[in-house]
Amino acid sequence: MHPHLFQTTALSLATDLSTTKKIALNSKRNKAQDNSDELDDLSNRFQYNECKDSYWQQEQFSLLFGTRLWDESSEAQKKLLNHLYWVAYYCQIISAEIATIYLNQAAGAGLYSVEDFRVVCDGLDLESSQERAHIAAFKKISEDIEYEVFGERMFTYPMRAYHVDTMIFHNSNRVKEYWRRMQIQAYSVLSTGNAFLGCQYFTVRGLRTLNGKLVQHQLSQHVIDSSDRTSMPIPSQVSFHHFLDESYHFNTSKLISHDVVKSIKAPTAFERKITNKLMLGVQKDHFNFSTAINGIFWYDPALYQTVYRILRSPAFAMDHAAAVQMVKDCFTKESQGMHNSRKTHETAREHYKTYLDKLDFVNPEVKAMSHMGKNTIEHQLKMNQKGFRSFVNGF
Ligand SMILES: [Fe+2]
Ligand SMILES: [Fe+2]
C-alpha cells in the first residue's frame, strides 16, 4: 500500500509528481549555482574610484536619461547619472527583498501545514538567505557611492522593518501608510495558517519578480556580452550575479502560483476576495512610471527633493533657481525619458496579463490589468505638474 493512502487529508503535493519533481529540481539547481559568495566577494572588493570612469549598464538606464538634464550633462556627469540609476534601482530592490524574506517565511509556514511541502519550504529558506546576500551587496556598494560623491544619503536608508515600505518614493501619506502596514501585517498572519493564501503570495511575488526580470536582464547585458566577465565594473557584475539567482526565484513563484495551487483546496469566496485585492494592490503599486528611473514604478513628485539635492551637490553645482528650473523641465514636460519609461510600464503590464491569464480565481477586470492601464503620458504630466507646485511652495 502506498504510504500516502494513510493520510487523513486528500490534499497532498506528492500526488502531483511532475510538480514536485520540478520544484525539487529548481531548488537543487539554485543551490548548485548560488551566487551569495560571489556577491559577498564583489561588494567587499568594491572601490568606487576603480569603476567610476565607465558605464555600468546601457545609457538608457541612467537617472533622468532622455531629459534636459541628460542632454546638458558632461560625459563625467552622464556616467554619474548611470551610477545613480544603479543605486536608486537597487535601493528599491533592497526594500522589496526585505519584505520578501519575511513573506517567504510566512507563506512557508502556511504551506508547511499541507502534506509533503517540505521541499517547497526548504527551497524558500535558501531563497531568503540569498536575499540577505543580495541586500548586503546592494547596500554596501550604494552607501559607499553616496558617501563618496555626496557625503550624505540620497536613495539609501538604514536597515528597517519589512512593513515600512515595499515601494520607496511612492504616493502616500501617514494614513495610507498606516493602513498599508495593517494590511500587510494582517495578510502575513492570515497566510501563515492558510495554504491557499500562502500560494497567492507567490502570485504577487511572481508579478513583482517578472518586472524585475525584464529590467535586470537588461542591466546584466554588459556582462552577458563581455568575453571577460571578471574585468567588468563590479556593480555590473553584481547585477549579473543577482539576475542569476532571481531567475530561480521567479521559477519558484511560477511553479507555486500556477501548479502547486492545484494541489490544495479550491479557494473559498473569502480567499478569492483577498486574492483579487492583492492583485489590485500590485496594480496600484505599479500605477506610475518614473521619468527618473526607467523600470521602477515610483511616483515622480516623491523624487523631486532628492533630485534637487543631487543638482545642488558639487557634482552638478547648480544654484537654487537653476536646480528648481531643472526639476521643472525634467519632470513636468514631455520627454524621451518619460516615453521610454511609459514603454517599459506597458511591457510589464502585458507580461502581468499573461502571467495571470490561466488563474481561474482571478476576476476578469483584475486579469485585464485595467487599473494599471489607466495611466497615460497626459495623466502622468498632470500629476507631475501638480507635484511641482507643492514642491516649489515647500521652500
Ligand atoms: Fe534578490
Ligand atoms: Fe528574489
Side-chain angles (χ1 to χ4, degrees), residues 53 55 72 76 107 126 157 161-163 177-178 188-189 223 254 324 334 342 350 392:
D53 295 327
Y55 283 95
E72 292 177 7
L126 169 64
Y157 43 86
Y162 72 92
H163 52 64
E177 265 162 36
Y178 175 79
S188 56
V189 169
V223 173
K254 206 163 168 246
V324 169
E334 213 170 326
R342 159 87 179 137
E350 286 308 317
V392 174

Side-chain angles (χ1 to χ4, degrees), residues 97 100 104 127 131 134 205 209 242 245-246 249-250:
E97 295 192 343
T100 298
N104 277 353
E127 290 185 16
E131 301 299 14
H134 301 167
R205 207 187 81 165
T209 317
H242 180 250
D245 279 357
E246 286 306 322
H249 299 188
F250 177 69

Side-chain angles (χ1 to χ4, degrees), residues 254-265:
K254 206 163 168 246
L255 284 165
I256 297 179
S257 58
H258 288 167
D259 299 324
V260 171
V261 77
K262 291 179 197 147
S263 299
I264 59 177
K265 242 196 276 166

